[in-house]
Amino acid sequence: MSKTVFITGTSSGLGKLTAIRFAQMGWNVAATMRTPELETELTAYENIKIFKLDVTNVEQVHTAVEQAIAAFGKIDVVVNNAGMGTYGALELAKEEAIDWQFAVNARGPINVIRGFLPHYRTTGGGMFINISSFMGVTTAVPLGSLYNMSKFALEGLTEGLYYELKPLNIELRLIEQGGSTGNNFKGNITWNKDAAIKDYDDLMTKVEERINNSDPSQLDDPQIIVDAIVAQATGESTKFRTVIGAAGNNLLAMRNSVPIEEYLDTIAKSYM
Ligand SMILES: NC(=O)c1ccc[n+]([C@@H]2O[C@H](COP(=O)([O-])OP(=O)(O)OC[C@H]3O[C@@H](n4cnc5c(N)ncnc54)[C@H](OP(=O)(O)O)[C@@H]3O)[C@@H](O)[C@H]2O)c1
């Protein structure tokens, strides 16, 4: 019998590519997104069913979980992929932007995990694959404190849950990639700005330049990230954390090999 994966944030980028890959592998796919009415690509696959889901909306989570179970019977793997980035100095962030960053990247996965736990308990287990970032295990881009906060929170959530879910045969995985080609992430970044405060302008300009002119050789092929997700779902890999790409792996190696003060100074100086 075909296995089933439930994926959040499949309107673009990694979520969409992951949905297509699983469908091509013969899995059933519950592809969720905020605007199903706009979707034209995933609709071409017979084994993909699309459900409306804004992960910040607990009621919608319950409805989408029920609809996916009704459509496919058993869900084997849930991929918490939906995410966005709020960048800019913390002082300049609007209150709503701070809450929204946490709501989408951390509270969203909490909602979805809680939505599926009763199903996983009654069906004897399952897997949650949480899409984090190397920004969830390192700090590497100044003015990204809120994004770091949200992904560090996702990391802590996932690690902390391990102990209570292992006895129930519910597995947890983290994928920590860097920037990739083929996503709309830049379009999903909101920038905190305040024309009246100039003290962060220099750093802001440098960070924006660095993000907008990312060296394509430092961007991962998104299919490699999809490979890593598939490897977890199929049991080919049992790694709790998978760090993808040279940028993330180099940063993590540096962070783990020197005192934190030296790590922080090295990153800070690269933006001076
Ligand atoms: N691209 C990178 O540089 C990068 C690096 C490391 C980690 N990541 C992580 O990788 C994951 C996928 O991002 P991506 O690179 O594929 O970028 P992307 O193309 O922007 O995809 C993000 C997806 O999340 C969805 N989303 C945003 N807010 C949502 C909400 N409230 N409820 C449901 N869906 C929501 C977006 O849907 P809408 O179309 O409705 O906005 C979109 O489908 C994210 O968790 C991101 O943090 C990305």
Side-chain angles (χ1 to χ4, degrees):
M1 208 178 86
S2 295
K3 289 198 163 192
T4 301
V5 60
F6 179 103
I7 310 170
T8 65
T10 60
S11 67
S12 67
L14 184 63
K16 175 164 279 186
L17 294 174
T18 304
I20 291 171
R21 174 77 72 83
F22 276 102
Q24 288 169 342
M25 287 164 48
W27 283 50
N28 296 318
V29 181
T32 69
M33 61 184 72
R34 291 191 287 186
T35 50
E37 62 280 9
L38 301 181
E39 182 55 36
T40 54
E41 286 171 79
L42 299 185
T43 45
Y45 294 82
E46 266 182 20
N47 49 343
I48 297 183
K49 287 199 191 318
I50 301 172
F51 303 104
K52 185 176 178 67
L53 178 57
D54 176 334
V55 294
T56 67
N57 182 325
V58 178
E59 255 176 56
Q60 267 186 32
V61 170
H62 286 298
T63 305
V65 169
E66 274 168 24
Q67 288 173 332
I69 293 169
F72 295 120
K74 181 177 184 298
I75 309 298
D76 301 282
V77 175
V78 172
V79 181
N80 277 306
N81 163 75
M84 54 77 64
T86 300
Y87 281 82
L90 182 69
E91 185 185 349
L92 310 185
K94 301 259 185 312
E95 298 298 335
E96 316 81 78
I98 297 170
D99 291 340
W100 189 244
Q101 179 67 97
F102 187 79
V104 177
N105 290 13
R107 190 62 158 106
I110 290 173
N111 295 338
V112 173
I113 290 169
R114 282 167 54 87
F116 272 107
L117 284 175
H119 178 67
Y120 275 0
R121 277 191 298 101
T122 51
T123 57
M127 180 183 283
F128 293 108
I129 301 176
N130 293 338
I131 307 303
S132 176
S133 167
F134 70 80
M135 294 279 278
V137 280
T138 65
T139 51
V141 184
L143 305 178
S145 66
L146 287 169
Y147 185 72
N148 280 131
M149 172 277 296
S150 70
K151 292 296 190 184
F152 272 60
L154 180 62
E155 296 271 338
L157 174 80
T158 312
E159 239 187 81
L161 274 173
Y162 185 86
Y163 308 109
E164 69 203 55
L165 298 187
K166 186 175 172 60
L168 305 177
N169 198 31
I170 299 171
E171 298 182 74
L172 293 150
R173 300 285 192 272
L174 282 157
I175 304 290
E176 293 139 349
Q177 78 272 29
S180 68
T181 55
N183 60 45
N184 182 36
F185 200 62
K186 276 188 216 160
N188 266 327
I189 290 180
T190 60
W191 287 98
N192 308 315
K193 291 185 178 171
D194 184 336
I197 299 177
K198 305 276 176 221
D199 290 340
Y200 303 103
D201 281 4
D202 275 358
L203 189 56
M204 182 83 174
T205 305
K206 284 178 186 148
V207 171
E208 269 188 303
E209 262 171 28
R210 195 86 65 100
I211 290 183
N212 290 333
N213 304 316
S214 318
D215 172 0
S217 70
Q218 292 296 303
L219 296 176
D220 300 321
D221 174 350
Q223 293 298 349
I224 294 173
I225 310 171
V226 179
D227 290 344
I229 296 169
V230 167
Q232 299 302 336
T234 56
E236 189 190 319
S237 169
T238 53
K239 275 179 86 167
F240 182 72
R241 286 198 156 88
T242 306
V243 185
I244 297 168
N249 275 296
N250 291 341
L251 276 163
L252 198 58
M254 203 240 295
R255 187 181 163 111
N256 290 338
S257 64
V258 298
I260 185 67
E261 294 80 5
E262 192 179 327
Y263 174 84
L264 292 170
D265 255 7
T266 306
I267 301 290
K269 279 182 186 141
S270 75
Y271 283 87
M272 279 173 180

